[in-house]
Amino acid sequence: MYFSLLKMSVSIDNFLKAVYVLGIEEGKKVTGSALAARLGISSAGITDMSRKLSRKGIVDYSPYKEIVLTETGKLEALQVIRKHRLWELFLYKVLNMDMADIHKEAERLEHETSIELMHRLDEFLGFPQYDPHGEPIPSIEGLLPDESDLIPLVEVNEGMRVKIIRISIREKEVYEMFQHYGIKPGIKIEVIRLFDFDGSMEIRIKGEKLILPGSLVTLILCKEGKNVHYGDQ
Amino acid sequence: MYFSLLKMSVSIDNFLKAVYVLGIEEGKKVTGSALAARLGISSAGITDMSRKLSRKGIVDYSPYKEIVLTETGKLEALQVIRKHRLWELFLYKVLNMDMADIHKEAERLEHETSIELMHRLDEFLGFPQYDPHGEPIPSIEGLLPDESDLIPLVEVNEGMRVKIIRISIREKEVYEMFQHYGIKPGIKIEVIRLFDFDGSMEIRIKGEKLILPGSLVTLILCKEGKNVHYGDQ
DNA sequence: ATACAAATTTAAGCAAGCTTAATTATTTTT
DNA sequence: AAAAATAATTAAGCTTGCTTAAATTTGTAT
C-alpha cells in the first residue's frame, strides 16, 4: 500500500505533475523552459527546484541536463494526478459543476487530500478508471489502463468514423471552444477531410459538418469500434 | 450575495477563525497568548499578523489592546467556518468518514473552496443548518440560527433529562473519549448528580449510569424538550 | 570552426510567515 | 505604590518559493 514518506508542498506537487505530464503523458523533452512555461514561473525557479528535488532523490538532475523523475518521484506524481482526477469526476458527476471549471477546482483540492480521503472518494465514486475528460485515473499502485487502442485524431484517415475518448485540456477558455462545437468524450464523429497545411479537419458531428481548427484537433484522442470507456459507463 | 474582495491566505483564514471562535463563540477575551496557543504559533507571530490585518482593515487593533474583528473580518471568518462545516458534514454523511477525523480534513479543504464549490456542496447536502458535531453552519450572509434554547450541560439541574445537541471539540483524542462513552449529538441523557468540586457529572445514558469527567462536561450543549436539530433530520 | 542565439545557471534580493531572545508594558500581588 | 509576575512587542534571523539581471553553457547556422 502506497504512502508517502516525504513532505511535499504545493509547489513540489505541481512541479512533479508537470514533469510527469510533459515527459511521460505528452512524450516531450522535459526542458527547463517548457516546465517554466507550464508552471508559470521563471527558469531560475526551475533550476532551484530541480536542484532541491534532486537532493531529495525525487528527480535525477545535474546542471544543463534533462530533468527525469526517479521511481519515487513518479509514484508521487501519479498520486497527485490520481487525486486530481478523482476530484474532477466528483465535481462533475456529483456536484454537477461545469466541465470547464472542474480542472481549476481540482487543482486546488488535490494538494489537500489525505490518503484516507482519497480512498473514501474513490469508493464513493465506485472505483472509477477515467475522469470526465477521458483521462485515466492512476491506481493506488501507480498503474494505468492499457491504451494502445487509442489514436490521435490527427492520424485518423479521411472517411473513418471514430469515437472521441479524450480531450486533453487545462484551460477553461479552450474547453469552452469544445463546448461550442458540441465535442466531448463519448461523441462519435466522421472525419471528412484533413487540411494538411494547418492540421484543420472537416468532420461530421451529429449530422452536421464543421471545420475543427488544427489547434483543437491535436488535443483529441479517439478510438475505432464501439467500446466506450468515458466515465466508465 | 457575498464575495470576498481581499486576498486571504491559509494563515489569515485561520487567524480570523480563531479570533471569531474564541471571542464570539466561546465569549472569551481575545488575548495574544490565547490566540498563540490556539493557533500553535508564537506571540510574536500574533503581533505581526495583528498589525498586518489591522492595516488591511480586517481587525481593529493597536499595541497592547484586544484584537477585534471588523465587519469585513467577521464575515470572512464566517465564510471560512461555513466551508469548514459543510465539508465536515460531507465527509461524515457522504463519505462515511470517522467523526474523529473530519475536523482535521475539513481544516485543510476549507481553504481551497471557491464560492462556486461552496454553493454546489451546500446544494448537494440539502442546504444543511448544522454540522455533525451539532455546530451551526453560517448562511452565505453570515447569519446563524437562534440558539437561545441551548444550555450548557454544566448548568443542567440534577434529575433533568436533556438531549445532547452539540459537542465542541477539535482534537481527535478528545472525540475518541466521547465515542467511548457513547455520547454524540441526538442522544438523550439524564443528569443524576453534579460533583461541584471538579465539575464531573453522573449521568444515565441508554439505561446505564456513568461518571463523565468535568473536562468533558464543559464541552456539551443540550436542550430540554423533544426537538432535535442535529443534522437537520 | 566560429559566431550568434537560445537555454540555463548563478547571484542577489524579496515577501510571507514564522522563530528566538531581548525589551517594554501591563497586571497582579503584597 | 512598589515589586514581581505575566503578557505583548520589537529586533534580528530563517525557510520557502519565487523574482530579475548578469554570466555562462549549449546548440545552431553559416
Side-chain angles (χ1 to χ4, degrees), chain A residues 210-221:
Chain A
L210 60 83
I211 292 185
L212 204 59
S215 56
L216 297 189
V217 171
T218 54
L219 301 174
I220 298 176
L221 271 183

Side-chain angles (χ1 to χ4, degrees), chain A residues 4 8 12-13 18 36-37 48 53 68 83 85 135 159 203 208 219 230:
Chain A
S4 172
M8 298 292 170
I12 296 177
D13 276 354
D48 261 21
L53 296 188
V68 179
K83 290 171 184 175
R85 293 180 182 167
E135 309 264 10
I203 62 172
E208 290 187 26
L219 301 174
Y230 154 69

Side-chain angles (χ1 to χ4, degrees), chain A residues 15-163:
Chain A
F15 189 92
L16 295 177
K17 230 180 14 160
V19 176
Y20 181 89
V21 172
L22 203 63
I24 299 181
E25 285 194 350
E26 299 182 4
K28 294 177 190 152
K29 196 176 177 200
V30 183
T31 64
S33 34
L35 282 178
R38 176 172 290 257
L39 292 169
I41 64 178
S42 67
S43 306
I46 298 296
T47 303
D48 261 21
M49 192 57 103
S50 303
R51 229 180 321 106
K52 179 165 75 184
L53 296 188
S54 180
R55 263 188 272 111
K56 291 198 182 205
I58 301 172
V59 303
D60 284 329
Y61 163 80
S62 46
Y64 299 100
K65 294 286 176 56
E66 196 179 356
I67 298 146
V68 179
L69 294 173
T70 61
E71 267 312 303
T72 312
K74 191 174 159 187
L75 245 184
E76 193 62 39
L78 283 163
Q79 290 303 309
V80 182
I81 291 169
R82 174 172 163 78
K83 290 171 184 175
H84 180 97
R85 293 180 182 167
L86 286 171
W87 276 119
E88 280 197 339
L89 190 59
F90 168 79
L91 295 169
Y92 184 68
K93 283 287 192 67
V94 182
L95 297 194
N96 295 310
M97 286 191 81
D98 193 308
M99 183 90 114
D101 294 326
I102 61 177
H103 179 77
K104 210 189 285 182
E105 299 280 353
E107 195 90 341
R108 300 178 64 189
L109 295 170
E110 66 190 12
H111 308 294
E112 306 302 329
T113 307
S114 68
I115 306 291
E116 175 66 17
L117 174 50
M118 181 180 80
H119 285 327
R120 300 271 178 174
L121 202 54
D122 189 32
E123 187 182 10
F124 177 68
L125 294 170
F127 309 106
Q129 298 223 75
Y130 294 89
D131 79 5
H133 299 111
E135 309 264 10
I137 300 174
S139 74
I140 301 159
E141 296 79 23
L143 301 175
L144 291 161
D146 174 62
E147 306 208 310
S148 48
D149 55 345
L150 298 191
I151 27 177
L153 182 53
V154 220
E155 292 174 14
V156 173
N157 295 325
E158 292 179 355
M160 270 174 71
R161 315 180 107 270
V162 292
K163 175 164 288 176

Side-chain angles (χ1 to χ4, degrees), chain B residues 13-227:
Chain B
D13 276 354
N14 286 336
F15 188 92
L16 296 178
K17 230 181 12 162
V19 176
Y20 181 88
V21 172
L22 204 63
I24 300 181
E25 286 193 351
E26 300 183 2
K28 294 178 189 152
K29 196 176 176 200
V30 183
T31 64
S33 33
L35 283 177
R38 177 173 289 257
L39 292 168
I41 64 177
S42 68
S43 307
I46 299 296
T47 304
D48 262 19
M49 192 56 104
S50 303
R51 226 177 326 104
K52 179 165 75 183
L53 297 188
S54 180
R55 264 188 272 112
K56 290 198 182 205
I58 301 172
V59 302
D60 284 330
Y61 163 81
S62 46
Y64 298 101
K65 293 286 175 57
E66 197 181 354
I67 298 146
V68 180
L69 294 173
T70 62
E71 267 313 302
T72 311
K74 191 174 158 188
L75 245 184
E76 193 63 39
L78 282 163
Q79 290 304 309
V80 182
I81 290 169
R82 175 172 161 78
K83 290 171 184 174
H84 180 96
R85 293 180 183 167
L86 286 171
W87 277 119
E88 280 197 339
L89 191 58
F90 169 79
L91 295 169
Y92 184 67
K93 282 286 192 68
V94 182
L95 297 194
N96 296 310
M97 286 190 83
D98 193 309
M99 185 89 115
D101 295 326
I102 61 177
H103 179 77
K104 209 188 285 182
E105 298 281 353
E107 195 90 341
R108 301 178 63 190
L109 295 170
E110 66 190 13
H111 309 294
E112 306 303 329
T113 308
S114 69
I115 305 290
E116 175 67 15
L117 174 51
M118 180 180 79
H119 285 326
R120 300 272 178 174
L121 201 55
D122 189 33
E123 187 183 10
F124 177 69
L125 294 170
F127 308 106
Q129 298 222 74
Y130 294 90
D131 80 4
H133 298 109
E135 310 262 11
I137 300 173
S139 75
I140 301 159
E141 296 79 23
L143 302 175
L144 292 161
D146 173 62
E147 307 208 310
S148 48
D149 54 345
L150 298 191
I151 28 177
L153 182 55
V154 219
E155 292 173 14
V156 174
N157 294 325
E158 292 179 356
M160 272 175 68
R161 315 181 107 270
V162 291
K163 175 165 288 176
I164 292 177
I165 298 297
R166 180 178 308 161
I167 302 174
S168 304
I169 28 166
R170 277 143 205 88
E171 308 76 16
K172 177 168 176 145
E173 212 183 23
V174 182
Y175 194 80
E176 284 166 344
M177 289 181 69
F178 279 103
Q179 275 183 324
H180 169 261
Y181 284 113
I183 294 171
K184 55 181 177 180
I187 290 283
K188 279 181 203 140
I189 60 169
E190 181 188 336
V191 173
I192 300 173
R193 192 136 83 94
L194 177 67
F195 299 97
D196 281 322
F197 88 100
D198 73 339
S200 293
M201 196 175 244
E202 188 180 10
I203 62 172
R204 192 187 316 276
I205 175 170
K206 287 177 186 160
E208 292 188 22
K209 285 191 207 175
L210 59 83
I211 293 185
L212 205 58
S215 56
L216 297 189
V217 171
T218 54
L219 301 174
I220 298 176
L221 272 183
C222 47
K223 195 188 217 172
E224 288 187 87
K226 43 242 137 286
N227 285 15

